[in-house]
Amino acid sequence: MSSISTTPARAATPPAPSTRPPKLPSLTGLRFFAALLVFFFHSSLMDSPIPPNNPINPFADSGVAGFYETLFSKSGYLGVSFFFVLSGFVLAWAARPGERVTAFLRRRLMKIFPNHLVVAALALALFAGTAVSGVGDWLPNLLLIHTFFPQPGINLSINPPSWSLSSELLFYVAFPLLIVLIRKIADKRLWTWAGLMVVGMVGVQLVTQFLIPATPKSAITPISDMQFWFGYLFPPGRLFEFALGILLARIVASGRWPRVIGIRVSLVLAVIGYGAALVLPFQYGFAVATIVPVGALICSVAGADVAGRRTGLRGRVMQLLGEVSFAFYLVQGITVFYLRSLLGQSTYSVPVAILVIIGFFSVSLLAGWLLHRYIEMPAMRRFSCSRKRPTTKPAAHTAAPAGAPSAGTPSAGTPDADRTDAVLVGAGS
C-alpha cells in the first residue's frame, strides 16, 4: 500500500442537494488489501476450523511457523471489521430515495446467495462428512442463519468463511430502518452517536469476557466456543460496526471529517491498533482494538476521492482486484482449507512453505475471479436489476441534514454498492 497518497485529507465538500454523491473508487481498490489480510490469517492458522482441526500453517520450523501465526493472528479479524464498517458506509453513501425495500433486498440477496450456494455445494462435495454431519448442520448454513446458533458444528459448517454472510444478511434487512433513523440525527450529534457505537462494541466484549461461560475451551481459539460465538460470530453484536459505517458516511458527506486525519495518519493508527489487538485480551482483538483505525482509513480514503486526490487505488488492476475480493474471500474455505488437507500434516522448509502459500493465493485468486466472472456478475445482471424505473423522482436532500445520504437506490454514478459493500470477508473461520 506504499502507493497510497499520504497527503492529509481535507474535509469533504458535501455534494450539492440535486447531484449524485461523488464516486469512491479507491474504496473498491482498498477492499482487496482487506481480503488479502484474511487470506494471510487463514494460511497462518495452527488449528483449521474444519475437524480434525489440523494446522494450515505449512512451515516446519516452529519458530517461523509461530512468527507467521502471531503476525497474522488478528489480520482476519481486522479484515472482517473493515468490511462490516464499509458495508454501512457504502450503502449509506450510495442510497437514494425512490426504490422499494423489496427491490433493495433483491439486489442484496443476489449479491451474496449465488456465490454462497455454489461454493457451499463444492464444499459439501469435497469435504463430504467432515464439515457437516446432518441436515441440522448444513440447512442453516444454506439459509445464512447459521451464526444465530452457538454450536460450532452449525455456525462454522460447510464453508467456514461463509459465517460473515449471515451478519451481512442481517445488515441488509436492517438497513432500510437504520438509514431512516440515522438520517434524523442532527449533524452536530453524529460524532456522539459514532462514539456510542464503539461503546456498544466494547459492551459486547465485556459481556463476552465476564458473563459468557469460559469453558469448555474452543478447539480453534483460546476462549470458549460460546465466547467466540457471542463475541465474534453472533450477527446482532456486529450491527454496531455496520451502523458506525452509516454514521461515518454522513460525517464525511457533511464535511465533518477532520482534515488532519488523512491516509498517512490512518495507517499509523492501524499499526497502533493492530499492535494493541495482539496484546489485549483475545476477544478485544475481534474489532474493538482496531475499530478507530478502520473507520479513519475508510473516511480518509473516501475523502481523498471526494477531493480528487491520487490514492494509487483507482487503477484498472486495483478495481478488478477489489471487485473480485468477495469471491476471493469466499472460496478460501476450499482453496486453502481443502488443498491443505490434501497435503496431510506435512510441513516444509521456509522456501517451500512460501511457495505453498503463493500457490494457495494463486489458486484462491483464480477461483475467486472465475466465481465473480461466471456466477456473481451474471446473477447480478439477470436478477438484481429492477424491470421498472422507480416512480418517485430522486428528491433533493432538503429533508435530511445537509449532505446526508438518504435511503433508497444506489445511483449509477456512485460507487456501486453491489460491488463495494458485500463481503465479506471473515476470519473466524
Side-chain angles (χ1 to χ4, degrees), residues 318-340:
M318 289 310 308
Q319 292 299 291
L320 176 60
L321 290 173
E323 291 168 7
V324 171
S325 61
F326 171 37
F328 169 63
Y329 154 70
L330 199 57
V331 300
Q332 290 177 27
I334 295 174
T335 57
V336 177
F337 301 152
Y338 180 72
L339 290 181
R340 184 65 177 95

Side-chain angles (χ1 to χ4, degrees), residues 58-362:
F59 291 97
D61 186 306
S62 59
V64 176
F67 174 77
Y68 185 52
E69 180 192 30
T70 300
L71 180 63
F72 292 106
S73 61
K74 304 298 180 181
S75 64
Y77 304 135
L78 172 60
V80 88
S81 186
F82 172 90
F83 278 107
F84 284 173
V85 176
L86 184 67
S87 290
F89 188 100
V90 172
L91 283 178
W93 187 271
R96 314 300 284 168
E99 183 184 45
R100 296 178 183 274
V101 171
T102 52
F104 167 80
L105 291 176
R106 182 181 65 248
R107 285 203 328 276
R108 306 321 309 149
L109 295 180
M110 285 300 105
K111 171 65 182 180
I112 60 176
F113 266 101
N115 279 2
H116 165 59
L117 294 177
V118 168
V119 177
L122 291 173
L124 281 170
L126 293 173
F127 289 110
T130 304
V132 292
S133 58
V135 66
D137 291 342
W138 59 260
L139 184 57
N141 180 287
L142 293 186
L143 299 175
L144 291 182
I145 58 173
H146 51 308
T147 51
F148 285 91
F149 295 82
Q151 300 91 337
I154 298 177
N155 56 48
L156 292 178
S157 63
I158 305 184
N159 179 37
S162 68
W163 76 266
S164 66
L165 302 189
S166 187
S167 291
E168 288 287 340
L169 183 60
L170 176 63
F171 298 164
Y172 299 153
V173 172
F175 178 76
L177 174 61
L178 287 176
I179 187 65
V180 170
L181 295 176
I182 291 175
R183 284 184 60 211
K184 295 180 179 180
I185 299 173
D187 283 0
K188 63 181 181 180
R189 300 186 187 278
L190 290 172
W191 278 109
T192 299
W193 279 95
L196 288 175
M197 295 304 103
V198 176
V199 170
M201 293 168 59
V202 174
V204 169
Q205 300 311 326
L206 288 173
V207 171
T208 300
Q209 183 176 8
F210 295 109
L211 298 181
I212 303 298
T215 56
K217 293 296 182 181
S218 165
I220 60 174
T221 72
I223 57 179
S224 71
D225 285 329
M226 283 292 293
Q227 287 176 317
F228 185 68
W229 167 71
F230 185 83
Y232 189 64
L233 303 177
F234 191 42
R238 308 311 296 254
L239 275 170
F240 291 108
E241 290 151 279
F242 181 69
L244 176 63
I246 300 175
L247 287 160
L248 291 176
R250 278 208 54 198
I251 286 171
V252 173
S254 63
R256 290 177 178 267
W257 182 253
R259 67 181 64 190
V260 297
I261 305 180
I263 295 176
R264 183 190 332 193
V265 172
S266 299
L267 291 174
V268 171
L269 290 174
V271 173
I272 295 172
Y274 194 82
L278 292 174
V279 299
L280 287 172
F282 182 76
Q283 59 269 29
Y284 295 94
F286 292 155
V288 170
T290 55
I291 191 59
V292 171
V294 162
L297 188 58
I298 290 172
C299 290
S300 60
V301 170
D305 274 350
V306 171
R309 290 189 298 274
R310 294 172 60 89
T311 63
L313 296 168
R314 296 197 287 262
R316 181 178 300 179
V317 172
M318 289 310 308
Q319 292 299 291
L320 176 60
L321 290 173
E323 291 168 7
V324 171
S325 61
F326 171 37
F328 169 63
Y329 154 70
L330 199 57
V331 300
Q332 290 177 27
I334 295 174
T335 57
V336 177
F337 301 152
Y338 180 72
L339 290 181
R340 184 65 177 95
S341 71
L342 296 180
L343 301 177
Q345 299 191 45
S346 300
T347 52
Y348 307 93
S349 64
V350 171
V352 176
I354 291 174
L355 290 176
V356 169
I357 293 170
I358 292 173
F360 288 163
F361 170 77
S362 301

Side-chain angles (χ1 to χ4, degrees), residues 346-392:
S346 300
T347 52
Y348 307 93
S349 64
V350 171
V352 176
I354 291 174
L355 290 176
V356 169
I357 293 170
I358 292 173
F360 288 163
F361 170 77
S362 301
V363 174
S364 297
L365 189 60
L366 175 60
W369 178 80
L370 291 171
L371 188 66
H372 171 72
R373 176 66 178 82
Y374 294 104
I375 301 297
E376 182 181 334
M377 289 178 63
M380 291 297 298
R381 284 195 298 262
R382 175 66 178 83
F383 298 108
S384 70
C385 298
S386 300
R387 295 182 181 275
K388 297 180 180 180
R389 293 182 178 274
T391 56
T392 305

